[in-house]
Amino acid sequence: MTNQLPWNKIETVLLDMDGTLLDLHFDNYFWQDFLPEQYALKHSLTVDDALKKIEAMYEKEHGSLAWYSVDHWQEELGLDIMALKKMEAHRIAFRPSVKEFLDFLVKKNITPVLITNAHPKSLALKMQYCSLHPWIKHFFSTHDFGLAKEHPDFWNHFQKTFSFNNEATLFIDDNESVLTNAENFGITYLRSVAFPDSTQTEINVSRFPLINDFKEIIN
């Protein structure tokens, strides 16, 4: 599978945020390390016991909109999720060559659109540290639709809000289930991300062509 794209046929580029434009390290560290430590402190548990308990909660909601909801986890865990996120916000960072890629799209008059499962509060925090506003004018959180990108009905709802031509659209996401759902909807050009988390050496498993550095698809 090649990463070369027919840019003369592409009008719209739909972009995921976490793990695609932004390094997934912040999110992985927060949910898998920092939050269990804070939960352990609050409930006088070992970190291992706290992690096991939280992971069981995560698994129950995996792939649903609640899994991505700041408000849901604040209620479930009894912790101020946004206050804790702000404590670790210095870890929020761009993935390789994101700015160069977005410059490339703007120069080609191709419309970049952000469509993320992140909660609006998380999206707002991340834009304080890694603003995408110089390039992207259209920002969407799936929480506004009441459906995660994994949901079979999501794209029908989204396309009614933001019109795009399936055959002239590229969608980039690091989530295999999300990409498969987009494929089933009929979006023509699909790409995944090789290393969503810069600190992990294991390549992302995907049947879609993988991008490591966005320079790979600038041509």
Side-chain angles (χ1 to χ4, degrees):
M1 291 186 289
T2 177
N3 267 347
Q4 295 303 307
L5 288 159
W7 289 110
N8 60 318
K9 297 181 180 179
I10 296 173
E11 300 169 356
T12 304
V13 177
L14 304 176
L15 295 161
D16 174 49
M17 182 172 68
D18 302 318
T20 299
L21 297 180
L22 302 187
D23 195 331
L24 197 59
H25 171 61
F26 167 77
D27 300 276
N28 283 342
Y29 174 79
F30 180 82
W31 294 103
Q32 297 171 15
D33 294 287
F34 186 70
L35 193 63
E37 288 172 2
Q38 300 305 309
Y39 189 80
L41 286 172
K42 179 172 181 175
H43 296 282
S44 300
L45 299 170
T46 67
V47 175
D48 284 345
D49 286 344
L51 181 59
K52 288 176 184 176
K53 188 171 182 178
I54 290 175
E55 283 182 338
M57 296 181 192
Y58 290 166
E59 184 60 31
K60 183 180 177 183
E61 301 293 351
H62 191 265
S64 72
L65 200 62
W67 197 73
Y68 299 99
S69 174
V70 168
D71 295 336
H72 172 79
W73 293 115
Q74 179 158 313
E75 184 177 340
E76 284 289 306
L77 302 175
L79 295 169
D80 188 335
I81 301 297
M82 287 311 300
L84 294 174
K85 281 195 171 194
K86 288 173 184 177
M87 290 172 65
E88 294 297 319
H90 61 277
R91 298 177 186 272
I92 298 169
F94 285 109
R95 290 195 64 260
S97 304
V98 165
K99 295 178 182 180
E100 291 87 342
F101 176 60
L102 294 173
D103 281 338
F104 168 79
L105 295 181
V106 170
K107 287 176 183 176
K108 282 196 167 286
N109 293 315
I110 295 172
T111 303
V113 179
L114 186 80
I115 176 64
T116 177
N117 277 331
H119 191 278
K121 293 177 184 176
S122 294
L123 173 58
L125 176 65
K126 288 178 178 179
M127 290 307 95
Q128 291 178 28
Y129 287 82
C130 289
S131 178
L132 294 164
H133 291 285
W135 305 275
I136 299 177
K137 308 306 177 189
H138 306 284
F139 290 79
F140 297 96
S141 167
T142 57
H143 294 260
D144 296 329
F145 299 89
L147 298 169
K149 283 184 284 183
E150 290 91 330
H151 196 284
D153 294 332
F154 169 75
W155 289 106
N156 280 314
H157 286 270
F158 178 67
Q159 200 170 56
K160 290 175 183 176
T161 299
F162 184 86
S163 179
F164 62 92
N165 178 358
N166 284 9
E167 295 181 358
T169 296
L170 165 66
F171 176 46
I172 307 176
D173 201 295
D174 65 310
N175 185 313
E176 178 97 3
S177 296
V178 169
L179 287 165
T180 299
N181 198 27
E183 180 182 50
N184 292 338
F185 182 68
I187 295 176
T188 298
Y189 304 105
L190 301 164
R191 293 293 185 272
S192 189
V193 178
F195 297 99
D197 182 332
S198 64
T199 66
Q200 295 182 1
T201 57
E202 186 174 351
I203 195 166
N204 188 23
V205 177
S206 180
R207 62 185 179 84
F208 299 95
L210 290 163
I211 300 166
N212 181 21
D213 187 310
F214 275 100
K215 286 180 180 178
E216 296 166 13
I217 58 172
I218 296 175
N219 58 282

